[in-house]
Amino acid sequence: MIDYHINHLKELESESIYVLREVAAQFEKPVLLFSGGKDSIVMTHLARKAFYPARIPFPLLHIDTGHNFAETIAFRDALVEKIGANLIVGSVQESIDKGRVVEEKGYNASRNVLQTVTLLDTLEAHKFDAALGGARRDEEKARAKERFFSHRDDFGQWDPKNQRPELWNLFNGKKHVGEHFRVFPISNWTEMDVWQYILLENIDLPSLYFSHQRPCFVRDGVILAYADFMMLKEEEKVEEMTVRFRTIGDITCTGAVHSSATQLSEIIEEVASARTTERGTRADDKRSETAMEDRKKQGYF
């Protein structure tokens, strides 16, 4: 990797570490949202760097849909044990059992949207006043509207028309009781930046990101991994495919791509030549033109 790219990545790293330290300084009870995906893994790596040699001074929070990839859960548990972090798990299944949300039915049923209520309930239960997320502005047009410090009202909702200015490196974390902030330290990173940083720092990832064989089927042009709780339409056939995932979430809406990339350098080559964004493989973003923004206004990540 040439010096120009290394310098660029180090600048992004410094910016993110500054934001992480600002959160620790301004808020009483922050938490790091951890999905098991590459962005949250990079966030965890940055947090370790920001506060080394001490441990990360806030817990990790995973919202478990109950329909996560087994590989994601195994990686999460191994990482938490390795770094000695405190893990809190919010369960969508518990939200369903308590009647807080109603599970979707039918072919396109997904628990992805249900995560919002579970997340807000968990933040409230633990009185977290800042939730650090791994969202980036290049992911999706609604993401591009959000600042580093994203204010949420006492209902956990986001108003894109009422955001605070961020001049230079000054962040305003003032809030009223019951309100909280979402904070996005890697906002200015791109997907390519993330992959190059993972290569530079030799960061471990779940096996899902690398080429492997698994049972899949195609729905509305999206390759989905098959699980026994998923309903298939008559024309949909499950077959073994050689795939990898560009983003990781709930099985029901996380699309795969055909790939033979088994190394980080090969993934970087794929990303460089890709004609779609990584969220172009997410079925949940295809429900409407404003799917992401609508969910964010309701309290989504």
Side-chain angles (χ1 to χ4, degrees):
M1 193 178 297
I2 62 175
D3 289 343
Y4 168 79
H5 291 302
I6 293 176
N7 291 338
H8 171 66
L9 294 175
K10 288 301 181 182
E11 288 176 2
L12 290 173
E13 178 189 72
S14 295
E15 178 182 62
S16 298
I17 286 176
Y18 176 82
V19 175
L20 284 160
R21 289 173 176 166
E22 275 293 298
V23 170
Q26 290 198 39
F27 297 97
E28 294 182 5
K29 201 171 182 182
V31 67
L32 194 156
L33 302 178
F34 186 85
S35 68
K38 67 182 186 308
D39 297 326
S40 64
I41 292 169
V42 166
M43 281 275 295
T44 304
H45 181 84
L46 290 165
R48 293 180 70 193
K49 278 197 161 189
F51 303 103
Y52 183 83
R55 293 184 179 181
I56 299 174
F58 34 75
L60 274 56
L61 171 59
H62 181 216
I63 302 302
D64 184 0
T65 68
H67 291 167
N68 294 102
F69 291 92
E71 295 94 330
T72 303
I73 302 301
F75 183 91
R76 178 200 72 186
D77 294 344
L79 178 62
V80 167
E81 182 177 359
K82 175 183 176 182
I83 66 176
N86 177 23
L87 174 68
I88 297 170
V89 178
S91 170
V92 172
Q93 184 60 56
E94 286 187 12
S95 297
I96 295 170
D97 295 341
K98 292 177 180 178
R100 292 284 295 145
V101 293
V102 177
E103 186 154 24
E104 296 180 355
K105 305 295 182 184
Y107 293 109
N108 296 310
S110 173
R111 290 184 173 184
N112 197 56
V113 176
L114 307 186
Q115 293 182 85
T116 299
V117 171
T118 306
L119 171 62
L120 294 175
D121 285 351
T122 306
L123 293 176
E124 173 63 24
H126 292 272
K127 305 302 180 185
F128 292 124
D129 56 357
L132 290 147
R136 308 185 323 269
R137 293 192 180 110
D138 76 318
E139 286 182 272
E140 204 271 346
K141 56 189 177 183
R143 299 283 203 204
K145 296 181 180 181
E146 204 144 27
R147 309 285 169 82
F148 279 102
F149 275 38
S150 178
H151 176 264
R152 303 299 172 103
D153 64 22
D154 51 358
F155 294 103
Q157 297 176 326
W158 171 63
D159 181 1
K161 296 181 180 179
N162 185 28
Q163 298 188 81
R164 298 175 181 180
E166 291 182 346
L167 306 175
W168 300 285
N169 58 354
L170 301 177
F171 302 111
N172 182 356
K174 292 183 179 180
K175 58 181 178 54
H176 297 293
V177 175
E179 300 174 345
H180 73 277
F181 275 79
R182 305 291 171 83
V183 183
F184 305 106
I186 62 171
S187 289
N188 287 335
W189 297 49
T190 65
E191 182 186 9
M192 179 62 80
D193 293 330
V194 170
W195 281 115
Q196 289 182 333
Y197 185 74
I198 289 169
L199 177 62
L200 179 66
E201 295 285 300
N202 193 28
I203 300 173
D204 290 333
L205 292 175
S207 59
L208 292 165
Y209 280 113
F210 301 93
S211 178
H212 61 285
Q213 283 196 320
R214 72 187 310 126
C216 298
F217 65 97
V218 179
R219 174 174 293 170
D220 298 329
V222 177
I223 302 171
L224 294 173
Y226 175 73
D228 55 13
F229 54 79
M230 299 172 75
M231 295 176 60
L232 293 175
K233 299 177 182 179
E234 186 175 348
E235 68 275 12
E236 293 172 342
K237 305 299 179 184
V238 177
E239 57 183 301
E240 286 287 322
M241 298 185 187
T242 302
V243 298
R244 72 174 190 86
F245 295 87
R246 291 177 68 184
T247 178
I248 295 176
D250 190 273
I251 292 176
T252 58
C253 60
T254 303
V257 294
H258 290 293
S259 174
S260 60
T262 58
Q263 300 178 40
L264 286 172
S265 58
E266 294 172 339
I267 291 175
I268 289 171
E269 288 180 8
E270 277 192 3
V271 172
S273 60
R275 298 176 67 93
T276 59
T277 66
E278 59 191 306
R279 290 201 70 92
T281 63
R282 292 293 294 264
D284 51 327
D285 287 352
K286 299 179 183 296
R287 291 193 171 193
S288 75
E289 284 294 318
T290 59
M292 173 62 80
E293 183 160 332
D294 293 342
R295 280 178 287 154
K296 289 180 71 62
K297 287 179 180 178
Q298 294 164 4
Y300 187 69
F301 303 121

